[in-house]
Amino acid sequence: MTMKSKTAKQKIKKPWGGRFAGGTDKAVEAFTESISFDKRLWKYDIEGSIAHAMMLGKQGIIPKKDSKLIIEGLASIASRIAEGRFVFRQELEDIHMNIETALIDEIGAAGGKLHTARSRNDQVALDLRLYLRDQVKGTLGLIEALKDALTGLAQNYKDIIMPGYTHMQRAQPVLLSHHLLAYAEMMDRDIGRLSESLKRINILPLGACALAGTGLPIDRKYVAELLGFDAVSSNSMDSVSDRDFVLEFLSNASILMMHLSRLSEEMVLWATEEFNFIELPDAFATGSSIMPQKKNPDVAELARGKTGRVYGNLMGMLTVMKALPLTYNRDLQEDKELLFDTVDTIKSVLGVITRMLPVVKFRTERLEKTAGEGFSTATDMAEYLVKKGMPFREAHGVVGRAVLYASKKGKMLEEIGLEEYRQFSGLFEADVFQVLSPRASVSAKKSLGGTAPEETARQMEKHKKVKKSKKSGPLYSPSGQNRPSKQNRAGRPSMSSGPDKP
Ligand code: ARG
């Protein structure tokens, strides 16, 4: 949208212009404006204003007919914005003053009553909370979808064995599905953290006014109910200067991105010639402008790289907040771009990884073959001796010597004869060979949460069940309001759905 002035010559009057004799320097207008980015809050700003106007009317602070006019005017502005017929003006600084000015233009003097018992300080805090409440719900849906993709992949490859790693060295055989479900656990924790945070986001700050509250008889609980908030903030000074809810979201987003980055890193490694565990579909790889043979995992690399900007946004916001005296300071305007960029980034990364996962092709033969290499079942051999009564530390030493012996001979553990093994311990018998295959190794790991097929299947079931029970959960519903207020049900014009950006 372009930011043209009203007409070439006509000066725009600023809503706060009364105590100013002179105009604002153009460079200052450009420096202090936030409309170029906070216009994406428009529908929340209007939703909040409608609730505020309803309350002003109900309390008799403004005449009911003016309240009605304001609500109609706001609804008409909402349609103009939604249809791209609204001109956002830089001279009017931000979304709040753009909409208020448009309202006065539209309905006249009654429009000037909307800002009664309200300040932009509590208004912007309200808009951000409404915005973030929606975004967290949307993000929860996207994480669920990614988790489904992971569980689907685990299901497809449920019996495939691969090498499990520690220190980036082959350690013990594991099921590929077990490895993939480890990420589903991470997604579960992300879902838990974000759902929890809704409790702290969903608190009404409006009514704090500039910082001290108001002498007018407002009804904050009524506004909270109209907007579907769980509670009303307790301290007006805290209400306008608090951005903990933004910081909490940026922290949760950083942890989420860390998980996605680890998954991406594994995709990058697995796609190398050296690992050769997966083949990336053409649609999710890119080529080199000079090397004709290249097929690069750029999607996973970018997902990993974008983690940096999300961490940066968290650090940026912590730094904005660190020395802010109470209460509102203009520094707080810096919260928005950091928050918006984080929302956009996690949404795009979640989306693209969710699309990519189901079409990643695992090289199952290679996975199974490498799972048995590198003496990966040595621990199983030690457990075999433990079952025959040998103390574990002693068994560790015996098997260590057997491994050294086999590696000097260039053989795998199953290629050493029983007689040779008996030089290391008399406890070895013919049945030792039954524990040495990767499949036997995996099947033996029946401990709770272990990699045995039945344990992995149990994990899979758990993820499916969590999904089912979430449907009726109190805090999280992927579509729509978590707690529709009476007014929503009665058909109050709600701005909660529709495009994020104008
Ligand atoms: N655009 C401002 C922000 O994003 C809105 C609040 C401005 N309040 C003020 N008193 N200057 O924080």
Side-chain angles (χ1 to χ4, degrees):
M1 218 145 299
T2 51
M3 287 191 209
K4 288 185 241 140
S5 52
K6 212 168 186 180
T7 63
K9 277 182 226 117
Q10 198 182 340
K11 266 236 153 95
I12 303 249
K13 210 172 145 284
K14 299 212 180 348
W16 45 251
R19 70 99 56 232
F20 287 78
T24 317
D25 187 285
K26 279 282 153 210
V28 170
E29 276 184 354
F31 182 68
T32 54
E33 68 88 25
S34 56
I35 187 63
S36 57
F37 48 88
D38 68 12
K39 63 185 173 194
R40 79 156 82 183
L41 294 174
W42 69 267
K43 65 182 174 190
Y44 305 102
D45 198 76
I46 290 182
E47 191 179 359
S49 288
I50 290 177
H52 184 64
M54 285 173 77
M55 183 279 290
L56 292 175
K58 175 183 89 74
Q59 295 297 95
I61 299 171
I62 64 172
K64 278 233 163 64
K65 66 167 186 357
D66 287 345
S67 160
K68 194 166 165 278
L69 270 178
I70 291 173
I71 293 164
E72 284 163 8
L74 288 168
S76 134
I77 291 170
S79 339
R80 270 161 55 200
I81 300 177
E83 290 157 18
R85 291 187 288 112
F86 189 92
V87 181
F88 292 100
R89 297 177 197 286
Q90 191 184 67
E91 314 88 280
L92 291 171
E93 267 182 51
D94 54 27
I95 188 64
H96 325 298
M97 296 209 306
N98 266 270
I99 289 176
E100 191 191 335
T101 307
L103 179 70
I104 296 168
D105 277 355
E106 179 129 348
I107 65 167
K113 297 186 181 177
L114 171 63
H115 213 54
T116 311
R118 186 176 78 169
S119 149
R120 278 186 294 157
N121 300 350
D122 56 346
Q123 192 180 355
V124 71
L126 170 70
D127 291 6
L128 268 190
R129 284 175 183 272
L130 288 171
Y131 165 80
L132 198 52
R133 183 174 75 181
D134 261 10
Q135 295 306 322
V136 166
K137 287 176 190 170
T139 304
L140 283 167
L142 292 174
I143 303 176
E144 286 286 359
L146 175 56
K147 211 184 99 173
D148 282 355
L150 281 164
T151 356
L153 207 55
Q155 179 72 45
N156 287 350
Y157 291 102
K158 74 177 170 28
D159 296 323
I160 301 300
I161 299 177
M162 68 179 288
Y165 290 80
T166 63
H167 310 269
M168 280 305 284
Q169 307 286 318
R170 287 183 195 155
Q172 291 185 302
V174 291
L175 286 180
L176 169 56
S177 47
H178 190 60
H179 191 128
L180 293 169
L181 289 175
Y183 285 99
E185 291 292 325
M186 298 179 216
M187 296 301 107
D188 259 0
R189 292 194 293 275
D190 290 320
I191 289 169
R193 265 184 294 273
L194 282 165
S195 303
E196 261 291 301
S197 76
L198 279 171
K199 281 200 289 213
R200 285 173 289 279
I201 294 168
N202 208 23
I203 295 173
L204 177 86
L206 201 72
C209 302
L211 76 162
T214 175
L216 296 165
I218 58 173
D219 182 351
R220 298 187 65 205
K221 289 187 177 150
Y222 175 69
V223 178
E225 205 196 317
L226 286 178
L227 293 170
F229 282 108
D230 294 322
V232 169
S233 63
S234 302
N235 179 309
S236 61
M237 295 180 77
D238 179 48
S239 310
V240 291
S241 65
D242 166 38
R243 292 294 182 273
D244 290 5
F245 64 101
V246 173
L247 284 170
E248 187 174 349
F249 177 77
L250 298 179
S251 312
N252 291 338
S254 295
I255 297 175
L256 167 68
M257 283 301 293
M258 176 270 288
H259 293 150
L260 300 177
S261 184
R262 293 181 72 181
L263 176 62
S264 301
E265 168 71 7
E266 297 217 284
M267 294 288 152
V268 171
L269 285 174
W270 291 351
T272 59
E273 200 62 43
E274 287 72 10
F275 272 84
N276 201 18
F277 284 177
I278 57 171
E279 190 184 335
L280 289 173
D282 283 359
F284 287 86
T286 53
S288 156
S289 59
I290 174 170
M291 298 168 282
Q293 84 285 10
K294 291 293 293 277
K295 185 170 172 185
N296 296 326
D298 296 33
V299 170
E301 288 171 316
L302 266 174
R304 191 178 58 186
K306 283 178 189 290
T307 307
R309 65 199 276 161
V310 172
Y311 289 5
N313 291 342
L314 170 62
M315 282 305 128
M317 193 60 204
L318 282 167
T319 312
V320 166
M321 297 305 293
K322 76 175 269 289
L324 275 195
L326 292 180
T327 55
Y328 180 85
N329 300 273
R330 193 62 176 265
D331 315 42
L332 287 172
Q333 183 167 292
E334 286 293 305
D335 59 1
K336 277 165 228 49
E337 285 162 294
L338 301 175
L339 176 60
F340 297 159
D341 182 66
T342 301
V343 166
D344 294 345
T345 304
I346 62 173
K347 276 177 155 177
S348 74
V349 172
L350 282 166
V352 76
I353 295 187
T354 303
R355 284 167 65 82
M356 182 171 76
L357 280 178
V359 285
V360 169
K361 202 173 140 270
F362 281 87
R363 298 188 196 279
T364 52
E365 270 179 30
R366 161 109 182 132
L367 286 166
E368 296 252 343
K369 184 174 168 287
T370 47
E373 292 171 0
F375 307 105
S376 64
T377 55
T379 314
D380 298 278
M381 189 182 242
E383 286 186 1
Y384 167 89
L385 291 173
V386 165
K387 282 182 191 157
K388 303 241 164 183
M390 188 182 280
F392 179 77
R393 192 46 61 210
E394 197 185 321
H396 188 287
V398 167
V399 178
R401 286 189 287 282
V403 165
L404 184 63
Y405 175 83
S407 79
K408 275 193 182 144
K409 294 203 139 209
K411 288 187 171 172
M412 294 174 75
L413 284 179
E414 41 284 54
E415 291 165 348
I416 305 293
L418 180 58
E419 280 321 304
E420 293 164 280
Y421 274 134
R422 291 181 69 87
Q423 294 163 24
F424 298 102
S425 164
L427 291 177
F428 281 119
E429 288 170 75
D431 59 354
V432 68
F433 295 101
Q434 286 165 23
V435 306
L436 294 182
S437 75
R439 192 145 308 267
S441 166
V442 161
S443 302
K445 305 298 184 313
K446 293 185 180 27
S447 53
L448 200 71
T451 198
E454 53 269 50
E455 266 306 301
T456 310
R458 210 178 49 77
Q459 290 175 45
M460 195 106 66
E461 273 316 297
K462 182 196 82 168
H463 288 299
K464 286 183 194 154
K465 269 195 205 124
V466 170
K467 207 182 152 210
K468 269 185 221 144
S469 67
K470 277 264 172 65
K471 290 217 167 96
S472 53
L475 270 174
Y476 159 52
S477 72
S479 53
Q481 298 273 41
N482 59 337
R483 245 173 247 187
S485 64
K486 280 177 207 149
Q487 283 66 27
N488 287 143
R489 270 173 268 149
R492 178 180 62 78
S494 167
M495 305 293 146
S496 293
S497 54
D500 182 21
K501 293 177 204 178

